[in-house]
Structure formats: C-alpha cells, structure tokens
Amino acid sequence: MTVVEPRAKVQREQRRQLHKRLAWITADNGVSERECHVLDVSSGGARIASDDAMDVRDRFELTLVKGHHKRELCEVIWRRGKTYGVKFVTLLPEVASPSTDPIEASTRPS
C-alpha cells in the first residue's frame, strides 16, 4: 500500500516579465548616464545588459523612461560579461510638486 502525502507549497517570487527595452543607468548623483537594456524585470529586481563593456558600480540608479524623475536604486547581485543581475534596494523619493488641491494647500503650515 502506498501513502501519498500532499506536497508542501513553495512560495515563489512573481514571474519575471520579459522586456528587452531601453533604460538608463545613472551614477555620480546624476552626472553620468549610460544606456542599457532591461532583459527582464520583476518586483524585486531586473536583469540588464549593455552593448559595450562598461564599469557598472555596485549601486546605481536605473531609469526606465528617459528624462523621467522616477528612478530605482539598484544593487548589483551578479555580473556575467555585459549582463548584470540587480535587485531594487528602495524606491527613490520622487520630486515633490506643489499641490494644486486648495484644501491641502490651506492646511499646510505657512
């Protein structure tokens, strides 16, 4: 007689979405910017590649839309030639814009 035990469910990270889209690596507080390609991305990180050999630092900012103020702070987890695995460390604060809501503006201290 064979007893079949139920398998334990393994919690997996969300499936990565394949993109191969253009992105930009920003270093030195926004002074230098290099193009790269996002090969795939998930909520926790991404796999990126560059066309040419470049010195990618251990931490940098990744911009998915050129000229957009939203950037992801990334940390390199692994390197294989011109391909890098990065994890998103934290969401960088977005540039605060003045509120156009009259109620919010009236409750703000002067």
Side-chain angles (χ1 to χ4, degrees), residues 16 44-48 60 62 74-77 84-88:
R16 291 183 177 262
R47 185 169 51 113
I48 63 173
F60 59 88
L62 185 67
C74 298
E75 184 175 302
V76 176
I77 301 301
Y84 308 90
V86 299
K87 74 174 181 178
F88 299 135

Side-chain angles (χ1 to χ4, degrees), residues 33-106:
E33 188 175 78
R34 306 277 312 249
E35 278 188 3
C36 69
H37 294 279
V38 175
L39 303 177
D40 58 46
V41 66
S42 70
S43 61
R47 185 169 51 113
I48 63 173
S50 62
D51 290 334
D52 56 344
M54 63 179 171
D55 181 28
V56 174
R57 300 191 177 188
D58 292 337
R59 282 191 171 207
F60 59 88
E61 297 168 10
L62 185 67
T63 306
L64 299 174
V65 179
K66 179 95 170 148
H68 197 273
H69 61 275
K70 183 178 176 183
R71 297 180 292 210
E72 298 285 345
L73 181 59
C74 298
E75 184 175 302
V76 176
I77 301 301
W78 54 265
R79 302 166 195 264
R80 290 188 192 110
K82 299 177 191 174
T83 306
Y84 308 90
V86 299
K87 74 174 181 178
F88 299 135
V89 178
T90 182
L91 188 63
L92 292 175
E94 293 185 23
V95 177
S97 59
S99 176
T100 57
D101 183 5
I103 296 172
E104 186 179 324
S106 66

